[in-house]
């Protein structure tokens, strides 16, 4: 090996160690910097001739790409679970702990207890006042809870808007950094740019679930878990969100813009093609997906449960149950019932057995005043054992009978005589057995000649009218919890809590009305629609109002605990994958100090070679 070769080799080694020492210094200086990935120096040797020397050095980031991708997926999941758990925790605080003084079930029980006390002493004025005070407190609590649910929906709406804006911002920032990396593929300074790009992707993963690939030029491509491409050197889509302020229970998402009362995420690609990202389920994880689910499902269901409590409580106290009388037609048997008094939204139920087998099933017919109110909204739908069908009463009794006949199909014969509706089974064929026909008209007056004990105890506070469950111009049930109020006429005349027959006034010591009100709330079975989804059950259920209130409160607590456990598990998974990622990517100062010693030794050795070559060259020059 000649002196010049030795000198070149030493200089190459010296330069390599200088770069290495600089990298070690950078690692140590950024040991606590978030998003900084540890670097190392790789060298390429030149084996030209019989000698070898360092041809070039490259700075490489030390990280596991597979683990990094898993980290982004878990971060997206954590964004989803934490957003959802936080919102449900706030909702649980609104409801109160079951049995606590501010809990909905406690306030409801206070109302039923006041009715029981009045039942025992109906002439006591103070007890009547206690009933109305307790009822007013219950109505106000439902109002407050409904307002709280809509506040949380508004927060979710804002969360979606902020998330969409942030995604656009991050995709824009990604464009600049990615272009700089592609422009300098072999530049050692791109390590800092790659760290910056990873930090952007890490933040992006908190809003939407992403997958990334990198091409030979170093350019990144980003797609969502749903397969929608977000970025390919430049953003491939741009999102926009038409945020709606001041959401109410009626404001819900729909694929039909004319029916939509909340914001939706519009996605426009580079060709100008627009689509609805929510309808296409682009967001499946991350905080945006969580806020969409909260706004359009979880909190809508919470509102539906409150509305169902208010509606069923009102109907239980105001709706009469008129059982049909038996009729026969040859071998066919069934019942007839008078439809006089049915209000818009009132129901007629047909109960029957399917034979053979004896399975009980039901049709629920809902009165509407025009075909414009049909079909009924999805919130009114029943299930296989209780089919809910809207019937247009505007055409008269014969039209009503014809519509019901078309709905029930074969196995029944439906007819009318004036306002009397008759339904009989198929007689000798024996495929159906009619076991009941019941009309449930709402009593809209507090006292009347020969008046029933049922009463419009609660009213729709906004309109000041009794609650009938009408579907004219939209469902009266939707948002009813925010409007329910004690009947003002009842507050003005508290004797009406016990007096109901104005023709032959019942004595003020009569316990008939308080007894009926109490039994309707605590003993009578009510049919609850599947829209409420209590305990995850999607079928119609029969239970008392008191039981339903208790189940709503307890199921809400269970939902919160489940969300918290899911979030805790996701945070553990995220922490675990972060630990795995940091095993490679995180700077270990002791390890760096050890590397520094090695590099300093190599530097000194190369420097010594250069010094020796210089001395030898000096000697040769003097010869």
């Amino acid at each position: 090996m000649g002196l010049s070769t030795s000198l070149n080799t030493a200089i190459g080694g010296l330069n390599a160690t200088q770069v290495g020492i600089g990298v070690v210094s950078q690692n140590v200086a950024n040991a606590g910097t978030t998003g900084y990935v540890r670097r190392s120096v790789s060298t390429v040797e030149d084996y030209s001739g019989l000698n070898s020397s360092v041809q070039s050095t490259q700075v490489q980031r030390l990280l596991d790409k597979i683990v990094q991708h898993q980290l982004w997926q878990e971060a997206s999941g954590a964004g989803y679970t934490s957003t959802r758990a936080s919102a449900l925790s706030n909702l649980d605080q609104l409801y109160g702990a079951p049995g606590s003084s501010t809990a909905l079930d406690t306030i409801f029980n206070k109302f039923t207890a006041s009715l029981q006390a009045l039942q025992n002493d109906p002439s006591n004025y103070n007890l009547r006042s206690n009933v109305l005070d307790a009822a007013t407190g219950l109505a106000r609590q439902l109002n407050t809870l409904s307002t709280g649910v809509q506040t949380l929906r508004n927060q979710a709406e804002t969360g979606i808007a902020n998330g969409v804006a942030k995604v656009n911002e991050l995709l824009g920032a990604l464009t600049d950094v990615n272009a700089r990396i592609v422009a300098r593929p072999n530049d050692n300074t791109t390590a800092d740019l790659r760290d910056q790009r990873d930090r952007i992707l890490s933040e992006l993963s908190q809003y939407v679930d992403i997958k990334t690939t990198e091409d030979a030029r170093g350019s990144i491509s980003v797609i969502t878990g749903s397969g929608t491409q977000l970025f390919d050197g430049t953003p491939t889509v741009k999102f926009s969100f038409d945020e709606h302020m001041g959401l109410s229970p009626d404001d819900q998402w729909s694929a039909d813009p004319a029916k939509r009362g909340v914001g939706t995420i519009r996605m426009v690609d580079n060709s100008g093609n627009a689509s609805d990202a929510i309808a296409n389920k682009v967001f499946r994880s991350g905080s945006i997906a969580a806020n969409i689910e909260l706004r359009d499902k979880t909190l809508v269901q919470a509102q539906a449960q409150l509305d169902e409590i208010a509606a069923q409580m009102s109907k239980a106290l105001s709706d009469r149950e008129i059982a049909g009388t038996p009729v026969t037609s040859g071998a066919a048997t069934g019942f007839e019932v008078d439809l006089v008094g049915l209000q818009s939204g009132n129901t007629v139920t047909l109960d029957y057995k399917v034979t053979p087998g004896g399975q009980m099933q039901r049709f629920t017919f809902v009165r509407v005043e025009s075909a414009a109110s049909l079909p009924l909204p999805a919130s009114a739908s029943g299930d296989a054992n209780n089919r809910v069908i809207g019937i247009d009463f505007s055409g008269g009794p014969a039209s009503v009978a014809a519509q019901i006949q078309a709905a029930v199909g074969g196995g029944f014969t439906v007819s009318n005589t004036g306002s009397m509706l008759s339904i009989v089974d198929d007689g000798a064929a024996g495929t159906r057995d009619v076991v009941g026909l019941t009309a449930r008209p709402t009593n809209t007056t507090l006292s009347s000649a020969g008046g029933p004990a049922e009463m419009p105890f609660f009213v729709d506070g906004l309109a000041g009218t009794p609650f009938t469950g009408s579907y004219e111009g939209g469902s009266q049930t939707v948002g009813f919890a925010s409007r329910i109020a004690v009947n003002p006429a009842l507050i003005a005349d508290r004797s009406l809590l016990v007096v109901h027959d104005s023709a032959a006034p019942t004595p003020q010591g009569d316990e008939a009305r308080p007894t009926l009100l109490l039994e309707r709330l605590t003993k009578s079975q009510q049919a609850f629609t599947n829209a409420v989804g209590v305990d995850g059950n999607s079928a119609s259920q029969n239970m008392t109002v008191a039981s339903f209130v208790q189940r709503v409160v307890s199921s809400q607590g269970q939902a919160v605990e489940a969300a918290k456990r899911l979030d805790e598990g996701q945070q553990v998974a995220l922490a675990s994958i972060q630990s795995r990622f940091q095993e490679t990517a995180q700077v270990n100062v002791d390890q760096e100090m050890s590397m520094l010693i090695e590099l300093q030794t190599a530097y000194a050795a190369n420097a010594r070679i250069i010094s020796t070559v210089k001395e030898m060259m000096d000697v040769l020059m003097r010869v």
Side-chain angles (χ1 to χ4, degrees), residues 564-585:
K564 286 181 178 179
R565 287 195 299 270
L566 181 62
D567 184 46
E568 289 170 358
Q570 183 62 39
Q571 296 300 333
V572 169
L574 178 60
S576 176
I577 202 71
Q578 283 176 332
S579 178
R580 286 180 56 193
F581 179 74
Q582 289 174 354
E583 286 177 4
T584 303

Side-chain angles (χ1 to χ4, degrees), residues 118-124 128 498-499 506-512:
L118 182 62
Q119 174 190 2
N120 296 331
D121 188 5
S123 61
N124 190 313
R128 296 176 192 171
V498 294
V499 177
T506 53
Q508 293 206 18
D510 185 7
E511 75 280 0

Side-chain angles (χ1 to χ4, degrees), residues 82-101:
S82 63
T83 299
R84 190 167 177 273
S86 176
L88 287 180
S89 179
N90 291 334
L91 182 61
D92 188 49
Q93 291 179 10
L94 289 173
Y95 278 82
S100 65
S101 60

Side-chain angles (χ1 to χ4, degrees), residues 39 61 177 180-181 184 189-198:
R39 287 86 187 268
R61 299 189 309 150
V177 175
R180 291 165 65 188
I181 292 173
R184 298 183 287 181
T189 61
T190 60
D192 287 331
L193 294 174
R194 289 176 181 274
D195 279 354
Q196 186 178 348
R197 186 172 69 180
D198 284 353

Side-chain angles (χ1 to χ4, degrees), residues 221-514:
S221 178
V222 183
I223 63 172
T224 69
S226 63
T228 301
Q229 189 169 53
L230 301 181
F231 186 86
D232 188 17
T234 59
T236 55
V237 294
K238 183 174 180 61
F239 297 103
S240 62
F241 183 70
D242 55 331
E243 182 179 2
H244 286 49
M245 306 298 291
L247 301 186
S248 68
D250 291 317
D251 296 323
Q252 298 185 19
W253 187 87
S254 172
D256 183 353
K259 298 179 181 179
R260 180 168 55 82
V262 298
T264 199
I265 302 175
R266 192 166 179 264
M267 182 173 64
V268 181
D269 64 22
N270 291 335
S271 299
N273 300 314
S275 59
D276 192 316
I278 295 180
N280 293 321
K281 296 180 172 57
V282 170
F283 299 94
R284 298 185 179 181
S285 189
S287 63
I288 293 178
N291 279 315
I292 292 172
E293 181 179 322
L294 286 165
R295 185 198 66 179
D296 298 338
K297 182 179 178 181
T298 307
L299 295 173
V300 168
Q301 190 174 76
Q303 181 67 52
Q305 291 172 356
L306 295 174
D307 292 340
E308 190 73 359
I309 290 173
Q312 293 289 355
M313 187 167 63
S314 297
K315 291 194 294 184
L317 304 184
S318 63
D319 287 5
R320 294 181 294 139
E321 293 189 2
I322 302 176
T325 56
V327 295
T328 59
S329 177
T333 61
F335 295 86
E336 65 177 6
V337 69
D338 195 345
L339 301 184
V340 170
L342 284 182
Q343 309 287 319
S344 177
N346 287 169
T347 63
V348 177
T349 56
L350 167 65
D351 293 297
Y352 66 97
K353 287 183 181 179
V354 177
T355 56
Q359 181 184 6
M360 288 293 299
Q361 292 194 350
R362 168 178 285 186
F363 280 102
T364 298
F365 305 109
V366 182
R367 173 169 180 160
V368 299
E369 300 305 318
S370 71
S373 299
L374 298 176
L376 297 179
S379 59
S381 62
D383 53 44
N385 293 322
N386 181 21
R387 282 156 286 182
V388 180
I389 301 168
I391 302 295
D392 178 11
F393 271 59
S394 63
S399 173
V400 169
Q403 292 176 66
I404 293 177
Q405 180 68 76
V408 299
F412 302 96
T413 300
V414 183
S415 61
N416 77 287
T417 303
S419 63
M420 297 297 294
L421 176 71
S422 173
I423 302 180
V424 296
D425 55 34
D426 54 3
T431 65
R432 303 286 189 274
D433 287 332
V434 176
V435 297
L437 185 64
T438 307
R440 293 178 172 81
T442 299
N443 179 27
T444 60
T445 60
L446 289 168
S447 178
S448 60
E454 291 86 357
M455 63 188 300
F457 193 107
F458 294 102
V459 296
D460 190 321
L462 186 62
T465 57
F467 179 84
T468 64
S470 171
Y471 289 96
E472 312 307 322
S475 173
Q476 188 184 18
T477 301
V478 175
F480 183 52
S482 65
R483 308 188 305 271
I484 187 173
V486 176
N487 194 327
L490 187 58
I491 297 175
D493 186 358
R494 305 183 180 205
S495 67
L496 294 174
L497 283 170
V498 294
V499 177
H500 52 84
D501 186 351
S502 61
T506 53
Q508 293 206 18
D510 185 7
E511 75 280 0
R513 182 165 260 183

